[in-house]
Amino acid sequence: MFTMRRWGVFAAIAVGLAGLATPAQARTDYELDVPVAEYSTQSTNIRATADGIAADEDGMAIYSPTELPMQVNAFEADAPGAQVDVRGRLPDGQWTEWTDNGQLDEPVSTVQVRLVLAKQSEVRGARLRLRHDPRRVTANARALSYRVYATREGLVGGKTANGHIIVQRDHFAALPSRRGLAPKGSGSYTVQVCAGNGRCAWAPVWDVGPWNTRDDYWNQPRQEWNDLPRGVPQAQAAYQNDYNAGRDQFGRDVRNPAGIDLGDGTFWDGLKLTGSSWVTVTYLWTVPGPFGYVHTPGDTLNVRGGTSSGTAVVGIAGHTAQVRVECETRGEVVTGSQGTTDGWLRIAPGKFVSKAYVSGVTGAATC
């Protein structure tokens, strides 16, 4: 259990990870003691010790969300041996990006904690002080799309940053920052990737790279390299313009301008690419409006050019991928993981999926 304290009050209030505490007064500071040994199954490369947790290789400990009795948008963390990332759940169920800079993108009343451990490190305790800072201005929602260079990840049999074991013709993406890294088996951070041939793919972000690990180039400000234009990956600037003497954050010579890596299935089957290519990437967690999640365990979902199985396949959405719903219409009756329905969702201009395979969609307009 997390322990939550109101600063300046001697009594401690213990609350469950999903519990709700009632403060004695509104708009104050709270402290959360993270139960470091109670990490979730979405954690990777973490083991329990007698007095905490440890990582024999780079790892992440993820904890269940915690409901707070107030909205917060700022925090201070104390966790010797780990980097503390925090994200917040928004009213529509989407999450803010993970952040370690003490500032959340928007005021939230539900937070989640992730501890990032380097190889051969240990953590015995972690504590957060959360507060609402009225001076912080909430950024307006904005759909972010950028044209970046995509490479194929490969590495079948390897492990991604979130602990996923890569299989043949896998469907996922990698971005060069943990800020948009989805927990294992989830699609809370998904990219829509469209190629010049007109095909698009929807893939959850399950790995970190290429080249860098702190280059959230779609943000402004970003974690590093703030003298670069928004939307330009550091690797692209290094390769094309000899930025940072042509090297990445680790001092390696950058040999391509990649801003995204794609799993083999996303690359070959979703986009029908045969070689590295420039693509348009939309970071779907930045897109406002209705959304849902693809449920096709062990398989993918065909994206079609119309509302029947007889129309052309114009892309692929991976299992757990998030799709943003432009509108809903009627078409062929389909039976899938979510039941039987004639509902079809337009998830991009001219691109549809059957609602029979998509969960959680509410409030979609009629096409």
Side-chain angles (χ1 to χ4, degrees), residues 4 19-23 25-28 30 67-71 109:
M4 180 180 293
L20 179 66
T22 302
Q25 63 186 51
R27 301 180 65 87
T28 185
Y30 282 87
E67 293 183 24
L68 304 174
M70 60 178 289
Q71 288 197 321
S109 57

Side-chain angles (χ1 to χ4, degrees), residues 168-188:
Q168 291 186 355
R169 302 192 101 87
D170 215 336
H171 290 264
F172 69 91
L175 294 175
S177 169
R178 291 191 194 92
R179 293 208 64 191
L181 180 66
K184 182 169 53 181
S186 81
S188 51

